[in-house]
Amino acid sequence: LIFPLNPTTSPTQDSNHWWAIAFDFNAQTITIYNSGTPDPHELSIVNALKNLIAEMYTTHHNHSWSWQRWHTIHPSDLPRQQNNYDCGVYMCTYITHIAFHAPLEFDQTDIPRCRQHIARRILANTYCINPSTTIPHPTATPVPPPLGKPMTSPDTHVTPKSASSTPAPHQN
């Protein structure tokens, strides 16, 4: 299997705007997640990704890939940005929700918390972790770390490597 994650998502950037594409290999759909206006180069980007996937499949399975039964979807009920600068946060939040099969239930008022969620995950080096790890909804109210203690990720309760300490002895 070439694409073990289903759906497989791709962040996309064109003309200073970020959006995401999800390929669902079970449903045979390509879904465009764009928080702003449609991208004029969308079709060419989707076709380039389709060509890449087809080439990878053909290389690994020695027969051609067909897009004949696939459909492209542009959801009309997506959360939409209300400004010209939050597209990257929306794209990351779309991909996080898609990866964890969570509903896209957020709006512009949640974006500051989503931005903080992304920053915490990057700083704690936990953004690309095992998908089986439970991660709270990014729009949930964040829990600040205790004062005077090393920062841990409220998402995974993992202490970053630079702040690790000797474990306490086991007590019965």
Side-chain angles (χ1 to χ4, degrees):
L1 187 64
I2 296 177
F3 303 100
L5 298 176
N6 192 48
T8 296
T9 58
S10 174
T12 307
Q13 194 273 339
D14 188 48
S15 303
N16 296 320
H17 180 66
W18 288 96
W19 47 285
I21 301 173
F23 291 85
D24 187 324
F25 294 91
N26 294 332
Q28 295 186 327
T29 58
I30 302 167
T31 306
I32 309 298
Y33 294 92
N34 189 338
S35 63
T37 58
D39 191 310
H41 302 104
E42 179 182 293
L43 182 60
S44 64
I45 293 169
V46 170
N47 284 335
L49 287 170
K50 286 168 67 174
N51 289 338
L52 177 64
I53 289 169
E55 181 179 326
M56 290 172 66
Y57 183 85
T58 301
T59 300
H60 290 282
H61 294 285
N62 295 323
H63 60 85
S64 298
W65 177 268
S66 173
W67 294 103
Q68 202 169 28
R69 296 181 184 189
W70 286 65
H71 298 89
T72 301
I73 301 169
H74 294 83
S76 60
D77 59 345
L78 285 179
R80 303 273 180 198
Q81 68 188 82
Q82 303 298 312
N83 56 40
N84 293 323
Y85 51 85
D86 282 331
C87 57
V89 178
Y90 273 83
M91 187 241 356
C92 288
T93 305
Y94 289 153
I95 289 175
T96 300
H97 281 70
I98 293 164
F100 292 99
H101 303 280
L104 296 172
E105 296 175 346
F106 63 94
D107 61 26
Q108 188 69 46
T109 62
D110 297 309
I111 293 304
R113 261 190 306 228
C114 293
R115 188 183 305 279
Q116 290 173 350
H117 173 80
I118 294 165
R120 281 193 319 269
R121 298 289 301 281
I122 291 170
L123 291 172
N125 198 24
T126 61
Y127 212 87
C128 298
I129 58 173
N130 184 334
S132 66
T133 303
T134 302
I135 296 176
H137 194 281
T139 56
T141 304
V143 177
L147 294 175
K149 296 199 175 191
M151 183 181 143
T152 59
S153 170
D155 303 327
T156 59
H157 306 291
V158 173
T159 304
K161 291 176 186 173
S162 62
S164 63
S165 60
T166 308
H170 180 69
Q171 297 179 3
N172 291 338

